[in-house]
Amino acid sequence: MRKTRLPQTDYNHELLRELPKIDAGKFHLDNQQNQDKMEEIVVPSLNFLQDSWRRLKKNRGAMISFVCLIIIISLAVAAPLVAPHNPNAQNPEWSNLPPKIPFLKQFTWFDGLTLNRGGSLTDNYADQGVPANVYYYLGTDALGRDLLSRIIYGTRISLMVAFSAAAINFVLGISYGIISGWVGGKIDTFMQRILEILSGIPNLVIVVLMLLVMRPGLLSIIITIALTSWITMSRVVRAQTIRLKQQEYVLAAQVLGQSTPKILIKHILPNMLGLIIVQIMFALPSAIFFEAFLSFIGIGIPAPNASLGTLINDGYQTFRFLPHLMWYPAAVISILMLAFNLLADGLRDAFDPKMKE
C-alpha cells in the first residue's frame, strides 16, 4: 500500500501520536519535502517602487484623492469635448439662471427654481424664455455664460499653472541643489547666499514688478512662480546630496573612475527620488492657491478667460443673492487642494523606509 508523504514537523509527530485511530503506517514523514517547503519564497520580491505602491494602496485617503485627481485632470484635459457650452459665449437674456439638471429636479438646488422678492418660488427658465430642452447644470453668471463650462476651463488653467510650477521645480530646483551640494566649499556658500536673497523678496512684489514689463496673464504668473517656487526644492536636494555623497557606494564609484555626471544621475538622484516626488506634490496645491489669489485680487488671468480665482471673485460679489456662483468653484479648488495634500502625505509615508511594516 502506498504511503502518504507528510513533512517532517513536530506538529505532524504530535498529530500521529494523539490520534490513534489514524493508521500511522499509511504515512511517511519526509524530511526532504519539509526542506523544500522551507526554501520556497512565500512573498515575491519587490523593488522600491513596487513596495511603495503596495503601501500607498493601503492608504484609503491617498487612493481616494488619487482617483479624484485623475477624474478632475481628465475633465480638464478634455475640456473642449466635455464642456456643454462655449465658456466665453455671452447671452445676457439668460443671465443669473439657477442650476437645473433634468434627472435631479427633485432636489431643491437643481430644479431651476428660485425665491422671488415676494417669497414664492418662480421658474427663471420659463420667465426668461429658455427653451425646454436647454439646461445649465450649474447655472449662468451675470453675462449669461455657462458656469459649468467656465469651471472646467478654469480648472484647466489652474492645473496648467500648477504643473508648470512642478516642471520648474523638477528642472531648476534639482539642478541647482544637486550642483551646490556636490561641489560644496565657497561655490556652495555663494549659491546659498543667492537663494537667501531670492527668498527674501515677497512673491507679490515680484508680481507687481512683472506687471510693469508684461501684461497680466498666464505667462506672467508662470514666470513669477519660476523665480521663487524652486528654492525649497533646491535646499532639500542640496541637503540630501551632501548626505548621500558620503556613502560608501558613491566613494566606490569614484574609486572606479566613474564621471561626476554619471554618479549624480545613477547613484545620487535615484536615492532621493521619493523625496523629490513628495516635494513636487506639495508644490502643486501651493501653485494653484497662488494663482487663485492673484486672480481673486484682479492681477491674474485677464477677462474673458476664467480661472478658479476669477470665478470665486465673480461669485463673491453676488454671494448673498446668487450663492451658487461662488460655491461651485470654491468646492472645486477645495477638492483640488485637499486631494493634492492627502496624496502627498500618502506618498511621503509610502516612500519613507521607516514606515515599512
Side-chain angles (χ1 to χ4, degrees):
M1 181 179 296
R2 185 178 179 180
K3 295 184 179 181
T4 303
R5 301 167 68 89
L6 294 177
Q8 179 78 19
T9 61
D10 294 338
Y11 175 78
N12 289 333
H13 274 295
E14 190 69 19
L15 180 66
L16 296 178
R17 187 176 65 83
E18 295 293 338
L19 299 177
K21 293 183 179 181
I22 298 179
D23 187 2
K26 296 182 180 180
F27 298 92
H28 172 67
L29 299 177
D30 188 357
N31 188 54
Q32 181 62 36
Q33 183 179 357
N34 179 56
Q35 186 68 23
D36 294 341
K37 289 290 184 182
M38 292 177 61
E39 293 179 356
E40 289 182 359
I41 300 177
V42 180
V43 180
S45 59
L46 301 175
N47 58 32
F48 176 72
L49 292 179
Q50 290 173 336
D51 185 53
S52 300
W53 172 248
R54 178 185 62 84
R55 282 183 280 129
L56 180 64
K57 289 190 294 185
K58 295 182 180 180
N59 191 327
R60 294 184 179 180
M63 292 307 299
I64 293 174
S65 301
F66 180 72
V67 173
C68 291
L69 289 175
I70 291 296
I71 295 174
I72 294 175
I73 293 174
S74 300
L75 292 175
V77 171
L81 301 177
V82 300
H85 301 277
N86 186 340
N88 298 326
Q90 301 181 11
N91 193 350
E93 297 179 355
W94 297 349
S95 62
N96 296 328
L97 290 175
K100 186 176 183 180
I101 302 178
F103 49 87
L104 294 178
K105 290 183 178 179
Q106 63 272 21
F107 297 100
T108 305
W109 276 69
F110 306 104
D111 56 4
L113 304 178
T114 56
L115 289 174
N116 57 19
R117 295 183 179 180
S120 59
L121 291 175
T122 179
D123 188 349
N124 290 45
Y125 284 76
D127 295 343
Q128 299 186 29
V130 181
N133 60 343
V134 176
Y135 300 94
Y136 290 98
Y137 297 136
L138 297 184
T140 60
D141 61 7
L143 298 177
R145 295 172 295 189
D146 179 43
L147 183 60
L148 176 59
S149 300
R150 291 180 66 78
I151 288 177
I152 294 175
Y153 276 87
T155 304
R156 190 182 193 185
I157 292 178
S158 297
L159 290 175
M160 287 176 60
V161 173
F163 285 110
S164 299
I168 294 167
N169 268 335
F170 188 81
V171 176
L172 189 57
I174 293 176
S175 302
Y176 195 94
I178 202 170
I179 292 173
S180 178
W182 179 263
V183 176
K186 295 181 179 180
I187 296 178
D188 178 36
T189 302
F190 176 74
M191 296 176 71
Q192 294 308 305
R193 298 295 82 78
I194 294 177
L195 291 186
E196 291 177 359
I197 294 173
L198 292 177
S199 61
I201 303 175
N203 289 339
L204 191 58
V205 174
I206 297 177
V207 174
V208 174
L209 293 177
M210 291 299 299
L211 293 178
L212 295 177
V213 296
M214 298 183 63
R215 298 178 59 185
L218 185 61
L219 181 60
S220 61
I221 293 176
I222 292 177
I223 293 177
T224 302
I225 295 176
L227 293 176
T228 56
S229 65
W230 55 273
I231 294 177
T232 303
M233 172 69 78
S234 66
R235 286 175 172 170
V236 172
V237 172
R238 170 184 173 270
Q240 290 296 312
T241 303
I242 293 175
R243 183 181 66 86
L244 292 174
K245 74 178 184 179
Q246 301 174 1
Q247 300 297 319
E248 289 79 1
Y249 58 86
V250 176
L251 298 177
Q254 291 177 318
V255 171
L256 293 174
Q258 290 190 0
S259 62
T260 298
K262 190 173 182 179
I263 294 175
L264 295 177
I265 295 175
K266 294 188 64 176
H267 300 287
I268 300 294
L269 193 59
N271 284 281
M272 64 174 75
L273 184 60
L275 185 61
I276 291 172
I277 294 175
V278 173
Q279 288 295 322
I280 289 176
M281 292 303 300
F282 278 117
L284 290 174
S286 299
I288 293 175
F289 181 80
F290 183 67
E291 182 277 325
F293 166 72
L294 295 180
S295 299
F296 182 80
I297 63 178
I299 58 176
I301 304 299
N305 296 322
S307 70
L308 294 177
T310 57
L311 293 175
I312 293 175
N313 185 31
D314 294 340
Y316 163 77
Q317 299 175 7
T318 58
F319 177 71
R320 294 181 58 187
F321 312 101
L322 301 168
H324 67 278
L325 294 180
M326 193 187 81
W327 277 120
Y328 294 123
V332 172
I333 193 173
S334 298
I335 293 173
L336 278 175
M337 298 283 289
L338 185 62
F340 273 120
N341 280 288
L342 288 178
L343 182 58
D345 288 336
L347 289 172
R348 181 182 57 193
D349 296 340
F351 286 131
D352 189 358
K354 298 179 182 178
M355 299 298 294
K356 290 185 177 180
E357 297 83 5

